[in-house]
Amino acid sequence: MRTVYVNGDYLPEDQATVSIFDRGFLMADGVYEVTSVLGGKLIDFAGHSRRLTRSLNELDMASPVEMDELLEIHRQLVARNEIDEGLVYLQVTRGAPGDRDFVFPDPETTPSTIVLFTQAKPGLAGDVAAKKGIKVISIEDIRWGRRDIKTVQLLYPSMGKMMAKKAGADDAWLVEDGFVTEGTSNNAYIVKGGKIITRALSSDILHGITRAAVLRFAKEAQMEVEERSFTIDEAKTADEAFVTSASSFVMPVVEIDGVTLGSGKGGPLALRLREIYLDESRKMAE
Ligand code: PMP
């Protein structure tokens, strides 16, 4: 049985509880992070903790722990659960005021709730799935306007994955005014004439931690990067496409709305970037 962390305690998962009045449960008033683990070490913890701080600040939510303490909790969970490859999920909510009320509770009397747990994913960094790539469908992006905040409000992304599954695909790309914003749980890219194209950062998309690292590594490897919006039609004529996220790293996209890209297998540039990302990230893991 897993050991999880809840509000200061390490507990067996079946003994960890959160109040029914928790605002995460009642109002999706919470933020989260997912940090991957490779070789028992955390990938880009610094990036994830920085984004957590930003999400909390944007929502005027108190941080329940200091960031160095957070690193220690992550490490403890990885060690106690003997995670070699997998991820650590973290969630902070605005706590449980003991009633339901739209007005934010006073943080002095209602502390934030913090929960962390691990998920073992043996073979996470293996390249079998990456070589095959994933198929995506496009759906309308009807999410709220602050997608740069990593909130637990994941109903529409979840519905998007179900629409994809029903259509025989693996995931969905979200489209607004004809332009791709991002994937349901990842950032979206196309490759044209050797150039990597991805939407620029704004409140339209989550500022992916993997995105930042991948773009940095791409530039270091002399690859050309263009941060601009692209339409779903342009994507269908691209040489390659891929997505990035903490749990999928760099994952090639081989089909969009039934249109096959390139050879129909993971594209060479995406696969090379995946290799570079995994190598470099492992070196810096902590
Ligand atoms: N966009 C969305 C909507 C996401 O949910 C995620 C992953 N949580 C990402 C992008 C990728 O972010 P990261 O690389 O930090 O995992």
Side-chain angles (χ1 to χ4, degrees), residues 18-30:
V18 172
S19 163
I20 63 158
F21 298 112
D22 195 276
R23 287 179 62 95
F25 175 63
L26 295 180
M27 291 171 168
D29 187 359

Side-chain angles (χ1 to χ4, degrees), residues 164-218:
K165 196 171 167 187
K166 208 170 159 194
D170 304 293
D171 205 350
W173 276 13
L174 305 171
V175 177
E176 193 167 55
D177 303 325
F179 291 93
V180 175
T181 51
E182 58 188 333
T184 58
S185 62
N186 42 58
N187 290 113
Y189 308 73
I190 56 172
V191 178
K192 282 198 136 183
K195 192 186 287 179
I196 299 163
I197 301 161
T198 194
R199 194 179 178 103
L201 296 181
S202 72
S203 52
D204 295 343
I205 61 169
L206 187 74
H207 301 189
I209 301 307
T210 319
R211 177 189 183 282
V214 162
L215 293 187
R216 191 172 72 244
F217 298 144

Side-chain angles (χ1 to χ4, degrees), residues 26-199:
L26 295 180
M27 291 171 168
D29 187 359
V31 298
Y32 75 108
E33 281 297 329
V34 176
T35 305
S36 60
V37 178
L38 292 178
K41 289 185 170 172
L42 299 159
I43 302 299
D44 213 338
F45 176 80
H48 289 283
S49 68
R50 265 198 303 275
R51 184 173 61 190
L52 173 65
T53 302
R54 180 176 181 276
S55 293
L56 290 168
N57 286 340
E58 291 297 312
L59 296 176
D60 212 6
M61 206 182 286
S63 181
V65 290
E66 297 295 331
M67 288 304 143
D68 51 351
E69 197 181 338
L70 204 55
L71 174 59
E72 181 51 29
I73 300 167
H74 276 72
R75 284 182 168 155
Q76 277 285 333
L77 286 179
V78 169
R80 290 183 192 219
N81 294 295
E82 297 175 9
I83 305 295
D84 178 49
E85 287 197 357
L87 45 91
V88 181
Y89 177 86
L90 164 150
Q91 180 170 325
V92 178
T93 75
R94 207 181 305 274
D99 260 325
R100 181 176 178 274
D101 189 347
F102 283 82
V103 174
F104 291 178
D106 180 351
E108 293 295 325
T109 48
T110 303
S112 323
T113 299
I114 177 166
V115 167
L116 288 95
F117 57 84
T118 54
Q119 282 184 202
K121 301 242 175 211
L124 186 64
D127 61 1
V128 179
K131 279 194 173 130
K132 193 164 157 258
I134 60 165
K135 298 176 181 176
V136 302
I137 57 165
S138 63
I139 61 172
E140 200 189 334
D141 195 343
I142 60 166
R143 297 172 302 162
W144 78 326
R146 290 304 306 274
R147 302 155 191 164
D148 56 314
I149 308 172
K150 198 165 169 62
T151 75
V152 296
Q153 197 186 306
L154 295 175
L155 181 55
Y156 190 62
S158 190
M159 289 168 72
K161 298 246 191 214
M162 292 311 293
M163 290 184 237
K165 196 171 167 187
K166 208 170 159 194
D170 304 293
D171 205 350
W173 276 13
L174 305 171
V175 177
E176 193 167 55
D177 303 325
F179 291 93
V180 175
T181 51
E182 58 188 333
T184 58
S185 62
N186 42 58
N187 290 113
Y189 308 73
I190 56 172
V191 178
K192 282 198 136 183
K195 192 186 287 179
I196 299 163
I197 301 161
T198 194
R199 194 179 178 103

